[in-house]
Amino acid sequence: MQTLPNWNEDTCFIPINENLTLAGNLRVPPEPAGIVVFVHGSGSGRFSPRNQFVARCLHNIGIATLLLDLLTEQEEILDQVHAHLRFNIALLSERVLGATQWLFTRPEVAHLKLGYFGASTGAAAALVAAAQQPRLVAAVVSRGGRPDLAGNMLEQVQAPTLLIVGSRDEIVIRLNEEAYAHLHVEKCLEIVAGATHLFEEPGTLEQVATLAGQWFTRHLASQATGTTH
């Protein structure tokens, strides 16, 4: 993974409901062509070097990004022990929906087309959230994700969806192929040669960023919606 220049992000505190606020980092380039929300389960939040690398690559092609932690610090600690929250797709997708509604209260991005970039179980949460708000979500990308955990909601997804999996992540390839068969939208399954689950091999995360950038540019960078959502 190559090094990109340091960047400044606005730290945001996102009210999900009256009892819960999540932390996020919002980055908006000049004249943004769209905005992408990063959706992750446990152990890989807004400070993950992989997430930040892909977000910077998107920013460099004119796409705004919101990186957020779907679990609080206390929940993250508990989940490292019990590993139950990361598989609670209903809870995660509800928080994605809340963050999305908050995002469209921000005047600098409220007019933009929206995409989700999900990884691991966060990919399922992104797809469920996309299915529940088909008029808002214009594209979804999954990196090494578990879209199969979206279950029956896959049939309801209307956003064009790109699934990216490493060639050495054999079990996840199979699960992605099963989910792919249940998607009835514009879709693509890309296998990155030589990559394992975390895309830690030289050049593999760059390929993810390139594929995601092309997908989002294609589906987000057309004329903005101009609606108030």
Side-chain angles (χ1 to χ4, degrees):
M1 182 174 66
Q2 71 183 59
T3 301
L4 292 178
N6 292 330
W7 67 342
N8 296 317
E9 295 174 309
D10 292 333
T11 300
C12 306
F13 296 96
I14 305 167
I16 303 300
N17 55 50
E18 60 183 20
N19 299 314
L20 176 67
T21 298
L22 299 177
N25 291 343
L26 178 64
R27 176 71 170 174
V28 182
E31 300 181 2
I35 183 160
V36 170
V37 177
F38 281 64
V39 183
H40 301 269
S42 175
S44 180
R46 59 196 171 105
F47 295 121
S48 161
R50 290 184 297 277
N51 297 347
Q52 292 197 354
F53 177 83
V54 176
R56 292 180 189 184
C57 290
L58 294 181
H59 182 264
N60 287 343
I61 59 173
I63 296 175
T65 56
L66 174 66
L67 292 87
L68 72 157
D69 299 325
L70 290 181
L71 301 181
T72 65
E73 290 184 10
Q74 185 176 22
E75 288 173 336
E76 188 73 46
I77 292 171
L78 290 173
D79 197 59
Q80 293 304 316
V81 178
H82 302 290
H84 64 292
L85 292 175
R86 71 188 69 182
F87 290 102
N88 190 336
I89 304 305
L91 178 144
L92 297 178
S93 61
E94 180 181 352
R95 295 182 178 186
V96 175
L97 290 170
T100 301
Q101 293 303 315
W102 169 87
L103 193 61
F104 286 116
T105 68
R106 302 280 298 218
E108 68 270 41
V109 297
H111 61 291
L112 299 176
K113 285 191 173 182
L114 169 72
Y116 288 146
F117 181 92
S120 191
T121 58
L127 286 163
V128 170
Q132 292 177 320
Q133 46 186 3
R135 296 181 62 184
L136 291 186
V137 184
V140 177
V141 174
S142 164
R143 170 184 64 81
R146 290 291 310 275
D148 57 296
L149 294 176
N152 293 335
M153 296 299 288
L154 286 169
E155 307 275 352
Q156 300 180 41
V157 173
Q158 296 185 29
T161 300
L162 169 64
L163 307 178
I164 306 173
V165 190
S167 67
R168 296 165 62 187
D169 198 5
E170 295 180 2
I171 294 176
V172 175
I173 289 177
R174 176 174 56 80
L175 294 172
N176 272 253
E177 289 174 340
E178 293 174 1
Y180 185 86
H182 292 281
L183 289 167
H184 303 301
V185 293
E186 180 183 348
K187 58 186 179 178
C188 182
L189 174 60
E190 291 280 0
I191 308 296
V192 176
T196 51
H197 185 64
L198 296 180
F199 296 87
E200 297 176 308
E201 295 72 24
T204 57
L205 194 62
E206 285 85 350
Q207 292 183 57
V208 170
T210 297
L211 290 167
Q214 292 171 345
W215 193 260
F216 286 130
T217 296
R218 177 178 175 182
H219 295 289
L220 303 185
S222 58
Q223 185 176 358
T225 62
T227 68
T228 58
H229 303 278

